[in-house]
């Protein structure tokens, strides 16, 4: 990536990167450092000061079965959202990737939900499935089905997964379609000459060629489900009923902002950071390998 | 306008020398063609003159003034790039005018200069177009126009024709030469194509792995190549080389199969008793009579096992193998007219003594008479 | 080329279109209906044209004690623009410096920027909140936007775009006498216009859709974004004016959707070429 031609001097470029570096330092590095520091301190009961307690916040955190459950719940939630959003998107992309009358219109009609805020997705599905006022929810209840996400944890989990994946389908659709279109026509034609058709062609030719896209999307979807769905979940259930829909980010917010447990919440932040760093590292190792070829 | 002098110009990247002590001097209005295989340092040489790289040593005198410390824009030099480097978002007019605007020329003067260049290049009707709306040849002209409007002291051409198809290349080659002559601007022209180099240059600089192999007029380079590298590089098909041993006195060269070549143009006493390389251009080989014999003014005759005959219409290329004492050697002959008739797939070719080139078998350097 | 009839494909795609459109249509239809009927569970997919008056109503006055919707839209728009433009400006500048210059600590600077990729706002809410309150940025517009402006993704994207600009173009500009800033303004920015447009769409949507961050740092109603505002509305326990909520929801959805649809060509190219 090194360029041949360069401009001389060092004052101008330093001045140009400075704003970015300043923001990065003030709003990223300093807070992150403070999170690490807070995570190793404990507020005294009167809030007058804090004492250094080493890793005890972390020990406490992982000894707490509630926290471990939240981790597992978050993982299940992330994979459920990714699986649903990716499967539907792939199916739509496969269908859309052919000479079809009105293809451009379909594409437009399938990408706009990208623009919907996660919190807005919650509002939209609330009106669909609310047991009292929802277009589908109310008739379900009237028909005698026990549907109420305010009470049933399972119902709430279902709703949260549905609303979260609904919004992400468009994004995945765009990438799957681009991925499919980048498969050379000649490869598909060669497969046809070899007699591979239908499901077999999909499984042996198209999906393997699509695997870089899939891997990329899996990472993006997992990160999306872990972090960007705060708005969706908070607007729908606030993590309830009980803790049925409480993900790690919801818990950080609740413990830190509502319960004011700075030490414990900071320890959770640090754990989250380590998680993101791990995901990013995996992604970049993979991407790095791909861009080299 | 301006003379150009390169004195001991050298360049290394991270201690790897890519250019060794180049010395060149050009008269006002002369065009120097710089030729060599890819990676020989010819583009680096051009970029040093342009000011896009700093040399490790040496001086660049343009019109007697050392320009080494000057910024590219301050050198009064214009360059035509290999990929044209047109500004994709600007019209043809703006592409040509951009450098003039930065230099603060008046609107009227810019308009006048662009108009003159556009007339010269036949771009008049295209001034409002964007580069993507132009053909390859048209883009090439715009790149030329951008250099012309600057009215510089020196033109630099970096393989400007390499992205054109063969026919257009021949056409543009002639046009570049015509325009450069008319404007009388001293020029450097980098190419890997020896035909372009031969036809365009008043002088020729052949580079071999960063070293100047020969600097002379094109016909001089062709007639008296300084070493086997230059000899092989200039001329198509390439010169044939025959390994030989020089006899006492440096008059008779003996090929591996025992055939003797008498150097009738004169002795090379310096090579006496040592290994030599005898060069003969394909077009200088002639058909020898069927009877054979070393007669007829030939230094020797060669018995060629023909492998491939390529009739080109007005002439014919004959590729074949020469067996010299167990080792085989490929040889190409360029004969006038249609395909010759063979006997048992063989052809006897005469080597005219006057057309021989003699090189030192170890250093590859040309060895002159005397 | 194939015998399979295309109506299967059309049916699948239509199903997808309906899956996406139905909830939005429902909210639109509901916004024109009687709030009490909705409360009784009698929402229908048929809009009542007579109920469209709710739109000027919520725009000008809001409902259930919320700020007027036009005000919340302005806050959202301001936030989205500030984040999109801010990110693009500082990312272009830093990517330009990193690609076209050699300066001391260039690699360090790049890595510092790069590391922020690993710290999305959601993982550092608590400590960043603490920093913000020390800087007295809570409940201010800069507090809502500036922390979201630093971004590795945009810098990486521009670095990639700039690195792909041919060397010869830079050299031609230098021979023409263009200095570094002139080259940036006259050549580099126009040449990258399509990438900038694409990124703008993505970042505008990103800014408009922020929820957690404004929830955290802006608690005064005057700084409510439309997304914050509407979630507050549905949280009201009694006497919810459902048609007003739904009208607000439609107005909240519209701007980012319009931006994406209007600029979809650039947006798709920018998304699939750059951001990965």
């Amino acid at each position: 990536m090194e360029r041949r031609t360069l401009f001389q001097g060092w004052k101008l470029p330093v001045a140009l990167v400075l704003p970015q570096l300043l923001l990065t330092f003030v709003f990223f590095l300093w807070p992150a450092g403070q999170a690490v520091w807070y995570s190793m301190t404990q507020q005294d009961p009167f809030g007058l000061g804090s004492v250094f307690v080493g890793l005890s916040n972390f020990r406490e955190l992982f000894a707490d079965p509630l926290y471990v459950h939240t981790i597992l719940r978050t993982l299940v939630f992330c994979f459920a959202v990714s699986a649903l959003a990716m499967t539907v998107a792939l199916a739509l992309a496969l269908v859309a990737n052919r000479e079809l009358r009105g293809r451009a219109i379909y594409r437009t009609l399938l990408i706009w939900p990208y623009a919907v805020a996660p919190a807005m997705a919650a509002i939209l599905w609330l009106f669909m499935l609310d047991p009292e006022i929802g277009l589908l929810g109310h008739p379900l209840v009237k028909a005698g089905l026990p549907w109420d996400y305010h009470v049933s944890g399972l119902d709430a989990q279902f709703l949260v997964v549905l609303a979260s994946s609904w919004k992400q389908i468009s994004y995945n659709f765009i990438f799957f379609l681009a991925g499919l279109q980048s498969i050379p026509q000649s490869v598909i034609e060669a497969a046809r000459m070899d007699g591979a058709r239908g499901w077999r062609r999909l499984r042996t030719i198209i999906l393997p060629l699509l695997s870089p896209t899939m891997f990329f999307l899996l990472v993006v979807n997992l990160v999306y489900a872990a972090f960007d769905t705060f708005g969706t979940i908070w607007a729908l259930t606030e993590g309830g009923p009980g803790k049925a829909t409480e993900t790690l980010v919801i818990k950080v917010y609740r413990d830190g902002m509502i319960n004011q447990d700075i030490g414990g919440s900071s320890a959770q932040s640090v754990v989250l950071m380590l998680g993101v760093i791990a995901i990013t590292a995996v992604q970049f190792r993979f991407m790095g390998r791909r861009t080299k070829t | 306008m301006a003379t150009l002098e390169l004195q001991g110009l050298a360049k290394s990247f991270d201690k790897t020398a890519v250019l060794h002590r180049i010395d060149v001097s050009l008269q006002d209005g002369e065009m120097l063609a710089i030729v060599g295989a890819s990676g020989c340092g010819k583009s680096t040489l051009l970029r040093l003159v342009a000011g896009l790289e700093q040399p490790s040593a040496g001086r660049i005198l343009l019109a007697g003034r050392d320009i080494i410390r000057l910024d590219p824009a301050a050198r009064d030099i214009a360059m035509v790039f290999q990929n044209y480097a047109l500004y994709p978002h600007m019209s043809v007019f703006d592409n040509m005018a951009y450098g003039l605007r930065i230099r603060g020329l008046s609107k009227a003067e810019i308009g006048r200069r662009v108009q003159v260049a556009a007339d010269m290049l036949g771009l008049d009707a295209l001034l409002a177009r964007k580069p993507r709306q132009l053909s390859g040849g048209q883009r090439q002209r715009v790149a030329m126009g951008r250099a012309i409007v600057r009215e510089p002291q020196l033109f630099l051409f970096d393989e400007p024709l390499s992205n054109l198809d063969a026919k257009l290349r021949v056409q543009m080659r002639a046009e570049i030469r015509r325009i450069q002559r008319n404007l009388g601007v001293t020029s450097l022209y980098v190419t890997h194509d020896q035909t372009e180099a031969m036809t365009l240059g008043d002088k020729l600089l052949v580079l071999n792995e960063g070293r100047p192999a020969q600097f002379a007029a094109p016909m001089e380079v062709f007639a008296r190549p300084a070493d086997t590298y230059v000899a092989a590089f200039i001329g198509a098909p390439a010169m044939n080389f025959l390994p030989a041993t020089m006899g006492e006195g440096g008059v008779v060269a003996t090929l591996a199969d025992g055939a003797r070549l008498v150097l009738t143009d004169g002795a090379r006493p310096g090579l006496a008793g040592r290994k030599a390389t005898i060069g003969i251009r394909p077009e200088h080989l002639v058909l020898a009579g069927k009877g054979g014999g070393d007669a007829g003014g030939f230094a020797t005759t060669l018995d060629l096992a023909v492998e491939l005959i390529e009739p080109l219409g007005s002439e014919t290329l004959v590729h074949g193998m020469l067996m010299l004492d167990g080792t085989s050697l490929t040889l190409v002959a360029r004969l006038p007219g249609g395909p010759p008739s063979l006997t048992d797939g063989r052809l006897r070719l005469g080597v005219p003594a006057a057309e021989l080139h003699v090189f030192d078998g170890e250093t590859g350097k040309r060895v002159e008479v005397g | 080329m194939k015998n399979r009839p295309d109506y299967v494909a059309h049916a699948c795609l239509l199903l997808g279109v309906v899956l996406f459109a139905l909830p939005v249509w429902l909210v639109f239809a509901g916004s024109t209906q009687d709030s009490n009927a909705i409360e009784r569970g009698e929402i229908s997919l048929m809009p009542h044209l007579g109920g469209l008056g709710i739109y000027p109503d919520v725009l000008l006055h809001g409902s259930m004690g919320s700020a007027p919707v036009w005000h919340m839209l302005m806050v959202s728009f301001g936030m989205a623009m500030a984040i999109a433009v801010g990110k693009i400006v500082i990312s272009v500048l830093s990517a330009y410096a990193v690609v076209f210059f050699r300066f001391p600590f260039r690699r360090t600077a790049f890595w510092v920027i790069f590391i922020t990729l690993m710290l999305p706002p959601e993982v550092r809410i608590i400590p960043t909140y603490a920093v913000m309150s020390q800087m007295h940025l809570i409940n201010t517009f800069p507090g809502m936007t500036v922390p979201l402006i630093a971004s590795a993704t945009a810098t990486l994207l521009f670095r990639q775009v700039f690195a792909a600009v041919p060397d010869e173009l830079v050299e031609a500009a230098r021979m023409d006498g263009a200095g570094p800033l002139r080259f940036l303004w006259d050549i580099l920015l126009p040449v990258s216009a399509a990438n900038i447009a694409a990124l703008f769409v993505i970042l505008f949507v990103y800014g408009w859709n922020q929820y957690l961050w404004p929830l955290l740092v802006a608690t005064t109603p005057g700084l409510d974004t439309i997304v914050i505002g509407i979630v507050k509305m549905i949280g009201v326990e009694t006497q919810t004016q459902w048609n007003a909520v739904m009208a607000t929801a439609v107005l909240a959805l519209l701007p980012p959707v319009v931006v994406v649809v209007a600029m979809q060509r650039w947006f798709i190219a920018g998304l699939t070429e750059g951001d990965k």
Side-chain angles (χ1 to χ4, degrees):
Chain A
M1 279 270 228
E2 297 293 292
R3 295 200 72 88
R4 187 172 72 179
T5 318
L6 299 164
F7 290 108
Q8 303 301 316
W10 62 271
K11 286 182 194 140
L12 179 65
V14 167
L16 294 178
V17 282
L18 216 53
Q20 175 91 298
L21 286 181
L22 220 60
L23 287 182
T24 304
F25 181 76
V26 173
F27 297 110
F28 285 75
L29 300 184
W30 185 18
Q34 288 210 311
V36 174
W37 170 247
Y38 287 144
S39 71
M40 292 192 272
T41 61
Q42 192 126 44
Q43 306 284 126
D44 70 58
F46 306 103
L48 295 175
S50 53
V51 283
F52 184 79
V53 293
L55 293 177
S56 90
N57 281 326
F58 291 96
R59 235 173 276 130
E60 237 171 78
L61 203 57
F62 284 101
D64 179 4
L66 285 179
Y67 186 66
V68 178
H69 279 149
T70 306
I71 292 183
L72 294 177
R73 193 184 304 118
T74 306
L75 284 176
V76 172
F77 170 75
C78 289
F79 279 98
V81 169
S82 307
L84 188 58
M86 285 175 69
T87 312
V88 176
L90 178 60
L92 285 173
L94 284 170
V95 175
N97 185 35
R98 61 175 74 178
E99 291 304 318
L100 211 58
R101 190 187 279 270
R103 199 162 76 152
I105 298 169
Y106 279 126
R107 203 179 62 173
T108 307
L109 290 176
L110 289 172
I111 63 162
W112 64 265
Y114 172 85
V116 175
M120 292 306 299
I123 308 281
L124 293 175
W125 281 95
L126 184 143
F127 290 123
M128 290 292 286
L129 290 173
D130 187 275
E132 281 158 34
I133 63 164
L135 178 76
L136 303 175
H138 184 68
L140 277 177
V141 173
K142 260 176 62 181
L145 284 162
W147 164 260
D148 190 350
Y149 64 87
H150 299 298
V151 180
S152 156
L154 208 60
D155 291 1
Q157 286 163 354
F158 170 78
L159 180 62
V160 164
V161 169
L162 182 71
S164 302
S165 19
W166 178 82
K167 183 205 136 41
Q168 190 65 7
I169 292 173
S170 307
Y171 182 89
N172 297 346
F173 172 76
I174 295 167
F175 276 90
F176 276 133
L177 198 60
L180 285 172
Q181 282 165 355
S182 72
I183 296 176
Q185 199 54 40
S186 57
V187 171
I188 303 291
E189 280 162 3
R192 279 178 66 194
M193 302 291 285
D194 281 338
R197 49 171 59 233
W199 169 246
R200 194 193 181 90
R201 186 158 78 207
L202 181 69
R203 195 171 50 84
T204 58
I205 308 289
I206 296 176
L207 291 188
L209 288 174
L210 216 51
S211 61
T213 310
M214 285 202 191
F215 180 82
F216 165 77
L217 281 179
L218 180 65
V219 172
V220 170
N221 277 259
L222 289 176
V223 171
Y224 158 80
F227 300 111
D228 294 349
T229 53
F230 174 86
T232 317
I233 298 173
W234 196 252
L236 274 175
T237 65
E238 296 194 346
K243 296 198 178 299
T245 54
E246 187 183 75
T247 61
L248 287 167
V249 175
I250 299 270
K251 189 169 164 58
V252 172
Y253 180 74
R254 186 186 293 286
D255 289 354
M257 295 309 291
I258 297 174
N259 301 338
Q260 296 284 317
D261 172 12
I262 302 297
S265 160
S266 293
Q268 293 183 34
S269 290
V270 172
V271 171
L272 279 181
M273 284 181 209
L274 293 177
V276 183
I277 288 171
I279 294 177
T280 319
V282 169
Q283 185 187 4
F284 267 82
R285 265 199 76 176
F286 179 84
M287 290 298 164
R289 207 168 354 139
R290 188 152 67 106
T291 47
K292 265 180 215 146
T293 52
Chain B
M1 287 203 169
T3 57
L4 177 71
E5 222 162 313
L6 310 182
Q7 298 176 346
L9 207 56
K11 174 71 179 172
S12 8
F13 290 109
D14 301 329
K15 306 225 167 113
T16 319
V18 291
L19 222 48
H20 305 262
R21 295 190 52 81
I22 307 290
D23 291 293
V24 156
S25 93
L26 285 186
Q27 298 302 309
D28 179 22
E30 272 188 330
M31 189 173 216
L32 170 69
I34 303 167
V35 68
S38 66
C40 71
K42 55 189 190 295
S43 284
T44 305
L45 178 55
L46 204 64
R47 293 162 51 75
L48 289 179
V49 177
L52 297 167
E53 306 275 2
Q54 280 301 310
S56 320
R59 301 207 300 163
I60 303 171
L61 302 178
L62 183 60
R65 184 174 63 132
D66 192 350
I67 57 171
I68 233 110
R69 306 233 163 272
L70 295 180
D71 193 69
R75 292 188 176 193
D76 207 3
I77 290 174
M79 183 153 169
V80 178
F81 292 88
Q82 182 171 11
N83 296 310
Y84 317 142
L86 301 181
Y87 308 122
H89 58 295
M90 292 186 194
S91 68
V92 168
F93 184 95
D94 289 337
N95 259 285
M96 292 200 252
Y98 185 64
L100 304 182
R101 289 200 184 117
I102 290 181
R103 283 175 173 73
L105 267 64
S106 74
K107 245 192 153 109
E109 175 64 7
I110 293 174
R112 186 192 67 76
R113 287 202 193 181
V114 171
Q115 197 53 53
V116 168
D119 287 342
M120 205 183 300
L121 293 159
L123 289 170
D124 209 22
L126 306 175
L127 285 175
R129 299 239 187 124
K130 293 275 174 68
R132 65 167 180 279
Q133 298 165 304
L134 302 178
S135 69
Q138 288 166 338
R139 284 178 208 186
Q140 218 284 321
R141 283 162 197 270
V142 178
M144 294 262 299
R146 186 166 61 181
I148 290 170
V149 295
R150 289 268 311 279
E151 298 180 1
Q153 289 193 313
L154 183 68
F155 278 143
L156 303 178
F157 296 91
D158 187 7
E159 309 213 21
L161 304 180
S162 61
N163 286 328
L164 300 179
D165 63 48
K167 197 175 160 202
L168 207 50
R169 204 178 307 160
V170 174
Q171 193 185 325
M172 282 307 294
R173 191 169 76 200
E175 197 160 343
I176 287 179
R177 188 58 171 145
R178 179 177 60 80
I179 289 170
Q180 190 265 339
R181 282 244 169 87
N182 288 348
L183 296 174
V185 179
T186 316
S187 302
L188 299 188
Y189 188 105
V190 158
T191 178
H192 65 272
D193 181 326
Q194 51 103 9
T195 316
E196 260 175 42
M198 289 291 289
T199 49
L200 281 172
D202 296 307
K203 296 253 179 66
L204 205 55
L205 173 65
V206 185
L207 288 180
N208 178 14
E209 290 177 351
R211 293 170 199 280
Q214 192 164 10
F215 171 60
M219 280 319 291
E220 167 75 5
V221 174
F222 183 80
R224 294 154 46 82
D227 59 23
T228 48
Y229 177 83
V230 177
F233 198 87
I234 301 294
M239 184 184 282
N240 299 299
F241 294 112
L242 307 168
T245 312
M246 197 61 79
E248 292 301 325
V251 180
V252 177
T254 312
L255 299 185
D257 66 344
R260 291 153 46 93
L261 281 83
V262 183
L263 306 179
T264 49
D265 56 342
R268 271 78 168 176
L271 272 181
R274 292 176 46 214
K275 290 201 178 310
T277 302
I278 307 297
I280 176 82
R281 292 198 181 276
E283 58 270 34
H284 292 149
L285 290 168
V286 291
L287 282 175
K290 287 213 172 78
D294 291 354
F298 297 146
T300 186
T301 58
L302 302 168
D303 190 25
L304 197 66
V306 176
E307 295 190 310
L308 177 67
I309 292 184
E310 295 178 303
L312 301 176
S314 61
E315 56 190 24
T316 302
L317 296 184
V318 179
H319 301 254
M321 294 286 254
L322 204 59
M323 292 303 292
L324 291 180
D325 195 31
T327 58
S328 62
L329 204 69
T330 56
L331 205 76
V332 184
R334 185 165 146 191
L335 305 172
S341 53
L342 309 180
T343 43
D344 295 340
R346 292 182 162 275
L347 202 60
R348 273 195 93 69
L349 294 170
V351 181
E355 306 291 358
L356 288 180
H357 302 261
V358 181
F359 304 97
D360 187 315
E362 273 138 37
T363 64
K365 295 264 178 260
R366 179 180 192 84
V367 181
E368 295 289 2
V369 176
Chain C
M1 72 182 211
K2 226 183 325 179
N3 295 330
R4 187 189 301 174
D6 268 346
Y7 56 76
V8 177
H10 283 288
C12 290
L13 289 171
L14 276 175
L15 195 70
V17 169
V18 169
L19 176 75
F20 285 154
L22 186 66
V24 177
W25 178 256
L26 175 69
V27 171
F28 170 68
S31 71
T32 63
Q33 292 163 20
D34 175 39
S35 180
N36 292 325
I38 296 171
E39 184 79 46
R40 289 193 301 273
E42 290 167 10
I43 196 168
S44 100
L45 286 170
M46 280 303 295
H48 300 182
L49 290 180
L52 282 174
I54 189 68
Y55 283 92
D57 219 37
V58 292
L59 269 175
L60 294 177
H61 311 296
S63 69
M64 299 176 291
S66 83
V69 168
W70 71 262
H71 189 268
M72 296 194 285
L73 285 173
M74 288 309 291
V75 175
S76 282
F77 184 77
M79 185 164 171
M81 287 302 283
I83 289 176
V85 174
K87 267 195 197 237
I88 288 173
V89 168
I90 71 162
S91 303
V92 161
L93 294 183
S94 47
Y96 177 61
V98 169
V99 173
F100 287 95
F101 292 86
R102 294 287 171 271
F103 54 92
F105 302 110
R106 186 179 73 102
R107 297 199 80 84
T108 318
F110 180 72
W111 279 104
V112 166
I113 295 167
F114 183 79
I115 256 173
T116 60
L117 196 67
M118 306 187 178
L119 300 170
E122 288 80 5
V123 310
R124 56 190 164 88
I125 38 177
I126 305 306
T128 313
Y129 182 85
V131 169
M132 303 289 289
S133 74
Q134 286 160 27
M135 295 174 68
H136 304 290
L137 284 172
I138 303 297
N139 278 327
T140 63
F141 186 75
M144 289 167 72
T145 49
V146 178
L148 297 178
I149 283 177
S151 144
T153 346
T155 311
L156 287 177
L157 175 83
F158 282 119
R159 176 171 170 265
Q160 205 176 323
V161 170
F162 292 167
V165 169
D167 279 318
E168 286 196 345
L169 203 62
V170 191
E171 291 167 358
R174 283 186 70 188
M175 301 287 289
D176 268 342
L181 287 177
R182 199 163 184 139
F183 171 72
L184 172 67
W185 187 255
D186 282 355
I187 313 285
L188 199 57
L189 287 183
V191 164
S192 321
N195 301 87
I196 293 174
L199 195 66
F200 175 81
V201 179
I202 293 165
L203 293 177
F204 183 88
V205 170
Y206 168 84
W208 186 276
N209 290 350
Q210 281 303 314
Y211 178 70
L212 176 56
W213 190 251
L215 183 67
L216 212 60
V217 297
T219 47
T220 53
L223 283 173
D224 275 354
T225 65
I226 187 85
V227 176
I228 293 279
I230 193 153
V231 177
K232 274 189 184 169
M233 281 183 189
I234 59 158
V236 176
E237 293 292 327
T238 52
Q239 287 292 312
T240 311
Q241 272 180 275
W242 289 112
N243 57 336
V245 174
M246 292 181 172
T248 309
V250 171
L251 292 171
L253 283 172
L254 224 48
V257 170
V258 166
V259 168
V260 163
V261 170
M263 297 175 76
Q264 63 169 306
R265 221 189 64 218
W266 285 321
F267 158 67
I268 291 176
L271 204 60
T272 52
E273 277 161 25
D275 219 23
K276 44 181 173 181

